[in-house]
Amino acid sequence: MKYAYKGIEIHPSVEIYHDVIVFLAGITMREFFKDKAKCAQAWHAGLKKIYEYFGDILPLRAVSGPPISYGHIICLGSPVTYPENSEPNVKPVLSSIDEGIELLEAKKDIDYSEQPLFKHYYEMCNYLKDQFPDQNVHFSGMGAQGPLTSAVLIRGQDFIYDVYDEPEKAKRFLALLTDSIVGFHHFTNKVNGMPAINPRSAGLADDFASLISPDMWPEFVVPYWNQYFEGLTTGTRTLHCENLAPAHLKYLKDIHLSHFQPSVSDLLTIENVKANTSIPFDWLLYAYNITEMSDKEIEQWVDRTVEAGITIIRTQFGQYTCQADKLDRIKAFYKAFEKYRI
């Protein structure tokens, strides 16, 4: 289906959290991440139930390895736990910024193919490829966060103090960490038969950059985001960064982005994003808000967003939406676009 407003195409988008796949299949989150057969079972059962409810109005999520955004720092030594019924968690492993620099220097030539987590994901993804021959399942799931998020995850909240107490060492740490992230992506690209540097595009997710004060972004964020993109693409650059404030947005132009995804950021409105950056952005109806909205409220939210000139308009659902018996809110979201259908 296609939709347009004043001659410009608009794109409603509904994203499916992986926790709903687990929930609908009746397995545990730990089984999903650790057991290849259970993982495949969950994808089969979960996607089938979602399709039975929505039919063709909702594009199904592609089958992939269980999404863990911390694969890179787990390979560097961050301990990970797999709770039975919640997401995997990582813990900081560094007691000082000096220890972090030393670790990253020592791990410059790390062989990711020898890491237990990679071997597990490689086996799991190959199994999923066999189980879903109609889908283009590739090596996936084992990911990396951006430099600031990775720094806080592997060093802990003390990294925020490092930025003030040891600024030059913090910059050295970020430069080394960004190089490591780029190297990790080069490795996974090659596993999938892709060039190390993608000529088309690269995306970055780095939510914890929002913890850095806007006036410190030119020193502690912008250089490392540019280092990241320069290492990964000669094409377009897209950014996902949550929890930003309007004062952060003026620096986005320095990263030469083609698209910005603010996602969950309670300080941002369509109006103050437009006032602070000219970079195209999408807009999200939060998963925890849509479940409490009436058909009319959803329609009004969609109309305001369309009339504001946003062309990619998103919402999401996961386990909570199913438990609360609110999947009909997602149907109401699609229904709100019917007046724009062409």
Side-chain angles (χ1 to χ4, degrees):
M1 297 180 188
K2 290 189 175 182
Y3 307 87
Y5 178 70
K6 293 185 176 179
I8 298 173
E9 194 167 348
I10 55 178
H11 305 276
S13 173
V14 175
E15 297 152 16
I16 303 169
Y17 292 155
H18 63 272
D19 68 349
V20 75
I21 300 297
V22 177
F23 173 74
L24 291 174
I27 67 168
T28 68
M29 191 69 78
R30 184 187 295 154
E31 289 172 327
F32 184 65
F33 276 85
K34 302 291 283 183
D35 185 323
K36 63 185 181 184
K38 292 283 189 179
C39 180
Q41 171 193 329
W43 282 114
H44 277 295
L47 292 177
K48 181 175 183 289
K49 289 179 180 179
I50 291 170
Y51 182 77
E52 286 172 351
Y53 185 82
F54 288 104
D56 293 326
I57 68 168
L58 173 65
L60 293 176
R61 179 170 176 152
V63 173
S64 71
I68 184 167
S69 301
Y70 320 124
H72 166 249
I73 61 169
I74 293 169
C75 290
L76 294 181
S78 285
V80 58
T81 57
Y82 294 88
E84 185 174 7
N85 287 304
S86 61
E87 297 287 333
N89 296 307
V90 290
K91 293 182 179 179
V93 72
L94 303 173
S95 61
S96 70
I97 196 71
D98 289 313
E99 187 179 333
I101 292 170
E102 182 180 344
L103 173 72
L104 292 171
E105 291 277 13
K107 298 277 188 179
K108 273 187 174 181
D109 298 318
I110 183 173
D111 183 353
Y112 291 105
S113 69
E114 293 300 316
Q115 299 302 308
L117 188 67
F118 168 76
K119 292 180 179 180
H120 171 69
Y121 266 82
Y122 190 71
E123 179 184 352
M124 178 171 278
C125 290
N126 284 336
Y127 182 80
L128 292 173
K129 185 182 296 187
D130 291 339
Q131 293 296 305
F132 295 89
D134 58 326
Q135 295 211 26
N136 183 27
V137 179
H138 55 277
F139 179 78
S140 58
M142 178 183 163
Q145 290 285 313
L148 280 302
T149 304
S150 297
V152 174
L153 289 171
I154 198 170
R155 171 78 175 101
Q157 295 182 26
D158 286 346
F159 178 74
I160 303 301
Y161 293 100
D162 294 333
V163 167
Y164 292 93
D165 297 340
E166 303 270 14
E168 295 309 312
K169 289 182 179 179
K171 292 175 188 178
R172 175 64 178 156
F173 178 69
L174 284 170
L176 288 167
L177 187 53
T178 305
D179 267 344
S180 183
I181 295 165
V182 168
F184 174 82
H185 283 300
H186 286 177
F187 168 76
T188 58
N189 284 351
K190 289 177 181 177
V191 170
N192 283 316
M194 297 166 52
I197 298 177
N198 191 318
R200 292 183 300 175
S201 64
L204 169 65
D206 204 2
D207 294 339
F208 285 178
S210 64
L211 300 176
I212 305 298
S213 174
D215 61 351
M216 300 177 77
W217 266 41
E219 283 189 275
F220 292 98
V221 176
V222 171
Y224 309 103
W225 282 2
N226 277 323
Q227 179 185 346
Y228 172 93
F229 282 118
E230 287 162 8
L232 289 177
T233 190
T234 53
T236 57
R237 305 175 173 192
T238 62
L239 170 71
H240 169 101
C241 188
E242 300 188 355
N243 201 39
L244 293 184
H248 287 112
L249 301 182
K250 64 182 178 181
Y251 298 109
L252 296 182
K253 68 181 186 304
D254 300 327
I255 301 105
H256 313 293
L257 298 173
S258 62
H259 187 82
F260 164 52
Q261 186 173 90
S263 196
V264 181
S265 298
D266 286 336
L267 294 176
L268 297 184
T269 64
I270 291 175
E271 292 72 26
N272 66 27
V273 175
K274 284 184 172 182
N276 286 279
T277 183
S278 60
I279 294 166
F281 62 97
D282 56 48
W283 204 243
L284 174 67
L285 178 51
Y286 303 158
Y288 53 83
N289 284 341
I290 193 172
T291 53
E292 306 305 318
M293 295 168 69
S294 67
D295 286 20
K296 188 65 176 177
E297 288 169 332
I298 293 170
E299 181 182 17
Q300 290 171 341
W301 185 95
V302 166
D303 288 343
R304 288 193 301 269
T305 306
V306 168
E307 290 163 8
I310 307 300
T311 58
I312 301 175
I313 303 168
R314 305 162 50 228
T315 194
Q316 304 163 326
F317 74 92
Q319 176 178 336
Y320 171 75
T321 311
C322 290
Q323 287 177 316
D325 196 23
K326 293 289 187 176
L327 277 178
D328 63 334
R329 300 299 80 213
I330 305 303
K331 284 188 174 178
F333 178 79
Y334 279 114
K335 183 180 177 183
F337 286 89
E338 278 301 305
K339 67 182 73 172
Y340 306 110
R341 188 172 171 182
I342 56 174

